[in-house]
Amino acid sequence: MRKLFTIHYTLFVSMALLLMACTETVGDAKQEAAQPRIYPDYTGVTIPVNIAPLCFNMADETVLRIDAVVTDSHGGSLHAQGEESVDFDLDEWHGLLAQNRGDSLSVVVSAKYEDGWHTYKPFSIYVSPDSIDYGLCYRLIEPGYEVWSKMGIYERDLSSFEEQPLIENTQFEGCVNCHSFNRADPKDMSLHIRGPHGATLLRKDYGPVTAYNTRTDHTLGLCVYPYWHPSGRYIAYSTNTTNQLFHSAGKNRVEVFDTASDLQVYDVEKNELLLSPLLKQDSVYETYPVFSADGRSLYYCAARALPEGSHQLDSIRYNLCRIDFNPETGTFGDQIETVVDAVSQQKSVSFPRPSYDGRFLCYTLSDYGQFSIWHHEADLWLLDLATGESLPMDGANSKDTESFHNWSTNSRWLVVSSRRDDGLFTRPYFCHVDKEGNVTKAFMLPQRNPRQFYRGRFMSFNVPDFITAPTRFDSRQATQAINNEYRKNFGVR
């Protein structure tokens, strides 16, 4: 026993000495009047109490070493140092955040260059008492245009750096997209497969996956852009005839547009599509349907269809509209309301997302069209559903594209798809929205060594959505369903 204790003690001392040897003392540092330029920019951000450590690099890549000390007003502290990035201990980080819920932390950064150490003016990080959901689910896809390569759907634990695939297209030939959950609850899930083995996969209550053929004689084509009804009984879909073209000049290199689109709602229990003539008008492009928080309204985007033969894509502009929906009978109202008249402003709405508490609706506003991910002018706007007032989300927006987004289940956090990092790849950012609609500065999804991670992964994060727990997705069973020729057909009421 004594020999075993001696071995363990010796190992402990050796590890401690090794850590001490790897850490330099910040001495004779030049005091800088400015705050540090770090990557990602975490200065002055508001973060959830349960988020993963905000590890960072210096924006200046000539740095030789980085040192960071995080302190609170109670005497607590956290220290990290590294050559490329600061990597905070996971348990110590969460302990410090838990002790400072609803309070601010102060971060002092020092950087070593050829001329020695420089210590910068401290910056603060506010720890919100509002937690964030367990994880994030997203598609990783290369920024291609006409063909797909390797891609998959992945889930990430937001309190750590753990990421795992749900399903990858190396298991079959095709494209995976349009993953959707019922208010971030992974037990109810929809997933589209495109290509030779095309299907829509549906799962209820963590049950087995069923492969459906969503094309019918009464609709334009396959169902896409799913959004679950809060009851879990219905899923809103659009059917779209979609095209894309490439600009030879200008700021937007790719244009994705519809030449026809309609809406329908799928009754999961009765295996029937519910249709309304008001949502199937040839003179109108309807797309991006979402249910209201109470499930009694259907919001969507609508544009006047182009005359046949017209190619003036920059004249296609969408308003935000609403129609009543009765979940007891599965029927629609007889009137369409224009909620946001973007067309009168020479603008276009896409990706409406109501908060789950029924207070707000976030949408993307761009110059025209409905596929805003390729529009560098696209920004997020917040609609107050109580007053009808819309305001730009300045804290979340940047000089580049802000496009797709989703709410956390407590309606306090938004995950935002943005191209602000390099103008090419879409990264997930998070911002806090309080009960009055105040929006904080957005921060990038944390990684252990952010620059190394994002530079080494030539993939865009596509359609990020929160999940409240691990998805428990059986990729083997799903692959068997995909590769099997059987498809269950949708009925139509």
Side-chain angles (χ1 to χ4, degrees):
M1 178 66 72
R2 179 175 296 177
K3 183 177 181 181
L4 185 61
F5 173 80
T6 302
I7 293 174
H8 286 174
Y9 178 76
T10 303
L11 287 173
F12 173 79
V13 171
S14 299
M15 290 176 66
L17 291 173
L18 181 62
L19 289 172
M20 290 174 63
C22 292
T23 302
E24 292 187 19
T25 301
V26 178
D28 298 324
K30 179 182 178 181
Q31 301 298 311
E32 301 287 352
Q35 291 182 337
R37 293 180 59 248
I38 60 175
Y39 176 83
D41 180 10
Y42 290 140
T43 61
V45 297
T46 294
I47 62 173
V49 68
N50 56 331
I51 196 70
L54 301 189
C55 305
F56 59 84
N57 310 90
M58 294 297 290
D60 184 347
E61 297 184 48
T62 64
V63 67
L64 303 176
R65 201 163 188 83
I66 314 171
D67 184 277
V69 178
V70 185
T71 58
D72 61 19
S73 58
H74 319 294
S77 66
L78 180 62
H79 179 231
Q81 190 181 108
E83 292 183 358
E84 292 187 28
S85 68
V86 289
D87 184 2
F88 298 107
D89 179 85
L90 186 66
D91 292 334
E92 293 179 2
W93 171 266
H94 283 301
L96 189 64
L97 263 57
Q99 294 167 12
N100 290 275
R101 193 174 190 140
D103 204 348
S104 292
L105 301 172
S106 178
V107 185
V108 175
V109 175
S110 299
K112 184 180 181 181
Y113 295 93
E114 290 290 350
D115 63 348
W117 285 97
H118 296 242
T119 297
Y120 296 87
K121 182 180 178 181
F123 66 86
S124 64
I125 295 174
Y126 178 73
V127 183
S128 171
D130 297 319
S131 61
I132 205 165
D133 290 320
Y134 155 79
L136 198 66
C137 191
Y138 42 79
R139 179 171 68 156
L140 290 178
I141 182 172
E142 294 178 356
Y145 309 122
E146 294 181 313
V147 297
W148 60 73
S149 183
K150 180 183 176 181
M151 66 172 69
I153 308 294
Y154 300 81
E155 70 175 57
R156 160 72 188 266
D157 181 347
L158 289 176
S159 66
S160 70
F161 302 101
E162 296 297 323
E163 179 189 80
Q164 62 179 354
L166 274 64
I167 189 168
E168 297 174 309
N169 68 343
T170 54
Q171 300 163 269
F172 58 91
E173 183 183 359
C175 165
V176 291
N177 60 11
C178 286
H179 57 281
S180 177
F181 308 96
N182 183 10
R183 293 188 172 212
D185 189 340
K187 74 175 187 294
D188 294 342
M189 181 178 178
S190 173
L191 175 65
H192 293 327
I193 308 296
R194 297 289 176 257
H197 303 280
T200 290
L201 306 183
L202 291 181
R203 181 180 76 173
K204 283 285 293 179
D205 298 321
Y206 285 123
V209 165
T210 302
Y212 287 82
N213 170 29
T214 62
R215 189 188 302 274
T216 77
D217 294 336
H218 302 272
T219 52
L220 285 172
L222 297 170
C223 293
V224 295
Y225 305 142
Y227 193 93
W228 290 77
H229 190 270
S231 68
R233 176 172 174 174
Y234 304 101
I235 308 174
Y237 287 109
S238 69
T239 50
N240 306 60
T241 302
T242 303
N243 295 272
Q244 70 175 357
L245 57 80
F246 302 88
H247 293 290
S248 59
K251 61 180 181 179
N252 299 326
R253 59 177 70 184
V254 182
E255 209 67 73
V256 179
F257 59 97
D258 290 339
T259 56
S261 56
D262 294 327
L263 302 184
Q264 50 272 309
V265 169
Y266 175 61
D267 187 330
V268 178
E269 292 182 7
K270 295 185 176 181
N271 188 36
E272 291 180 332
L273 282 179
L274 313 178
L275 308 180
S276 166
L278 292 178
L279 303 176
K280 285 175 56 63
Q281 301 182 62
D282 292 339
S283 61
V284 178
Y285 301 150
E286 303 100 345
T287 192
Y288 298 140
V290 292
F291 287 108
S292 59
D294 63 5
R296 308 199 75 84
S297 297
L298 189 69
Y299 292 97
Y300 63 97
C301 300
R304 186 181 300 277
L306 284 180
E308 188 174 351
S310 174
H311 300 286
Q312 294 180 323
L313 300 182
D314 58 0
S315 69
I316 304 176
R317 293 188 173 91
Y318 289 76
N319 285 331
L320 177 65
C321 297
R322 188 194 71 84
I323 190 171
D324 289 338
F325 179 75
N326 188 329
E328 285 77 32
T329 60
T331 56
F332 301 90
D334 56 7
Q335 289 185 336
I336 293 173
E337 174 191 355
T338 298
V339 180
V340 174
D341 184 359
V343 176
S344 65
Q345 308 169 47
Q346 295 293 293
K347 293 290 184 179
S348 188
V349 172
S350 58
F351 302 128
R353 282 295 185 273
S355 60
Y356 298 126
D357 62 2
R359 184 72 173 83
F360 301 106
L361 186 146
C362 179
Y363 60 90
T364 305
L365 199 66
S366 56
D367 286 346
Y368 61 92
Q370 94 310 349
F371 209 77
S372 50
I373 193 64
W374 293 108
H375 284 237
H376 296 281
E377 82 283 357
D379 278 334
L380 298 183
W381 283 63
L382 192 66
L383 168 65
D384 187 326
L385 291 173
T387 66
E389 182 183 21
S390 284
L391 293 173
M393 300 180 68
D394 293 334
N397 292 324
S398 70
K399 294 180 180 179
D400 215 308
T401 307
E402 272 71 53
S403 187
F404 192 84
H405 46 273
N406 266 314
W407 292 89
S408 63
T409 53
N410 62 5
S411 300
R412 297 280 72 87
W413 298 96
L414 266 177
V415 58
V416 177
S417 300
S418 178
R419 285 193 166 155
R420 73 186 67 186
D421 191 23
D422 56 18
L424 295 174
F425 293 94
T426 307
R427 317 289 194 204
Y429 285 74
F430 303 92
C431 64
H432 184 266
V433 183
D434 68 16
K435 294 179 180 180
E436 285 71 47
N438 298 306
V439 182
T440 62
K441 177 180 176 179
F443 66 94
M444 188 189 285
L445 175 67
Q447 308 292 349
R448 282 201 181 278
N449 186 329
R451 181 182 289 124
Q452 184 182 85
F453 179 92
Y454 288 114
R455 281 189 178 176
R457 176 174 273 186
F458 296 105
M459 309 283 276
S460 281
F461 290 73
N462 184 249
V463 193
D465 195 5
F466 288 103
I467 48 176
T468 56
T471 56
R472 292 162 47 187
F473 188 78
D474 189 337
S475 62
R476 182 178 178 182
Q477 191 260 332
T479 301
Q480 289 175 344
I482 294 168
N483 290 324
N484 191 314
E485 293 183 2
Y486 171 76
R487 297 291 183 266
K488 187 174 181 178
N489 292 319
F490 272 6
V492 177
R493 187 197 303 178

